[in-house]
Amino acid sequence: MTGDEGFRKRFENAVLRHAVLRERCADLFERYNHLMTTEGKSLACQYMLEIGQHELREFELKVELRRWRRRVELRQKAINLGQEPNLVEIESRLDAEFVEYQKQIARYVSEIENARSYVSAPKLTEAQTTRMRVLYLDAAKRLHPDANPNLSDAAKRLWVQIGEAYKARDWTELEYLCGIVGEVIGEDVTYAETTEGLACLERENVRLEGVCSQQLEKIGELYLKVPWKYEEFLSDNDAVVVRRSELLKSIRSLSEQVETLREYWGKEVSA
C-alpha cells in the first residue's frame, strides 16, 4: 500500500468513526432525555399513586399527633406555672413551630396532584412516541452542544426549544422545530482530506469518545436515584401489597392516637 493509499484509508476510517460516534452520542443523549422526561416521570407517578399517597397520609397523621402532644405540653406548662393557658397563643406558637412540616406536606400534596394529572392526561400513541424519539435523536446528532461545540446562537436556541417541546410531549411543535434544523445550521461540518484535517478529525473523535463515556456514566447514575430505584420495587406486586398494608396499619394506629388526644383535650379544656 502506498503512502497516499495508507493516508486515504486512515482518513476514511476516521470519517466512519466520526459518524459512528456522533450516532452513538445522539443515541445516548436521547436515552438520557427519555429517562428524565418519560420513564422517570411515569415511575414517579406510579409510585406516588400506589404508595406515595399513603405515605403522605401517614406523615400528616404523625405531624398532627406531634402537634397534639405539643399542644397538651404547652397547656400543662402554663398550668404548672400557675397561669391560665392562653389557647390562642398556644395555637399561634404551634403554627410557627410546625410551619416547615406544613411546607413538606404541601409539597407532597402537589406531587400527588401532579401525578394524578399526568396519569389522566391524554397520551400519545406508540407510533407518535416512537416518532418523537426519532426526531429528537436526529436533532441531537446535529444540535446537542456536547456533540457540536461550535453551534451558532440560533442553533443553540433551537436546541433549547426542541428540548422544551419534547418535555411537553408536544408532537406537532417538535416535528416543526426538527424540520427546520437544516435551515438553521446549514451544512454539517466536514474535514479536509489533508494531514491537518485528519489530525482535527482524530482529535474530535477522541473528544466524542469522552462525551459518550460521560453520558453513559450519567445514565448509570440515574438508576441509583429516585424514581428509577423504585422500578424493581414497583414490578414486585407482592412487595407493593406488603408496603401498602404496613402503611395502612400505621395510619389506623396513628388515627386512633390522634383521636384519643383530641378527646382528652376536649375534656380538659371544658373541665
Side-chain angles (χ1 to χ4, degrees):
M1 181 181 292
T2 66
D4 286 346
E5 289 174 341
F7 174 83
R8 186 173 298 109
K9 184 65 174 177
R10 182 179 167 188
F11 186 84
E12 290 173 353
N13 287 339
V15 170
L16 178 60
R17 179 63 177 161
H18 184 68
V20 169
L21 285 169
R22 291 189 70 193
E23 289 285 352
R24 178 62 172 154
C25 282
D27 181 67
L28 292 170
F29 295 146
E30 192 282 327
R31 176 61 180 156
Y32 181 83
N33 188 63
H34 186 71
L35 283 169
M36 290 292 290
T37 62
T38 304
E39 291 187 18
K41 182 72 171 178
S42 295
L43 280 172
C45 291
Q46 183 183 354
Y47 184 88
M48 281 295 173
L49 297 181
E50 293 196 24
I51 298 297
Q53 60 182 334
H54 302 301
E55 289 180 334
L56 169 62
R57 184 56 187 149
E58 181 190 47
F59 182 69
E60 287 176 325
L61 285 167
K62 285 181 177 179
V63 172
E64 187 176 0
L65 181 60
R66 188 173 299 177
R67 180 164 178 142
W68 273 112
R69 287 171 175 167
R70 181 66 172 145
R71 181 182 287 118
V72 171
E73 177 188 353
L74 291 173
R75 179 177 179 275
Q76 189 60 49
K77 183 178 180 180
I79 293 172
N80 292 343
L81 293 173
Q83 302 170 355
E84 179 68 24
N86 187 320
L87 302 186
V88 174
E89 288 184 0
I90 287 175
E91 291 305 317
S92 295
R93 182 167 178 176
L94 290 173
D95 286 342
E97 290 180 2
F98 282 75
V99 65
E100 290 303 320
Y101 288 117
Q102 294 306 317
K103 288 180 180 178
Q104 290 180 53
I105 290 172
R107 285 194 295 268
Y108 218 136
V109 168
S110 178
E111 289 177 9
I112 291 174
E113 290 175 349
N114 289 338
R116 287 173 178 153
S117 297
Y118 180 84
V119 169
S120 62
K123 298 293 186 293
L124 297 175
T125 65
E126 185 176 345
Q128 288 175 323
T129 299
T130 299
R131 175 62 175 161
M132 284 186 70
R133 296 190 68 177
V134 170
L135 287 170
Y136 187 91
L137 180 65
D138 290 342
K141 183 168 62 176
R142 305 183 73 185
L143 284 177
H144 197 289
D146 288 344
N148 303 276
N150 299 313
L151 291 172
S152 67
D153 289 342
K156 292 176 182 177
R157 287 194 297 271
L158 178 59
W159 175 245
V160 171
Q161 290 176 304
I162 287 173
E164 291 172 347
Y166 190 100
K167 184 176 181 180
R169 315 296 287 164
D170 189 338
W171 184 47
T172 303
E173 179 70 4
L174 181 67
E175 188 149 36
Y176 165 73
L177 293 170
C178 289
I180 64 173
V181 170
E183 298 175 22
V184 173
I185 68 172
E187 296 294 326
D188 288 332
V189 175
T190 57
Y191 294 86
E193 194 172 336
T194 62
T195 302
E196 183 179 351
L198 176 59
C200 290
L201 183 55
E202 289 179 336
R203 283 196 299 271
E204 178 62 9
N205 286 349
V206 169
R207 190 189 71 81
L208 289 175
E209 287 172 352
V211 170
C212 287
S213 295
Q214 291 172 4
Q215 199 65 22
L216 276 171
E217 289 180 9
K218 287 177 66 177
I219 291 172
E221 289 169 358
L222 283 184
Y223 287 104
L224 302 176
K225 301 176 181 178
V226 171
W228 294 274
K229 62 192 306 183
Y230 294 150
E231 188 170 17
E232 183 177 355
F233 166 73
L234 290 170
S235 65
D236 185 342
N237 187 62
D238 290 340
V240 172
V241 170
V242 169
R243 177 59 179 153
R244 189 184 297 123
S245 297
E246 291 173 346
L247 287 167
L248 291 175
K249 182 179 179 180
S250 175
I251 287 169
R252 286 193 295 272
S253 175
L254 289 166
S255 296
E256 291 170 0
Q257 293 177 66
V258 167
E259 187 58 31
T260 297
L261 278 175
R262 183 181 287 113
E263 290 176 359
Y264 169 80
W265 178 265
K267 292 176 181 178
E268 289 295 309
V269 170
S270 61

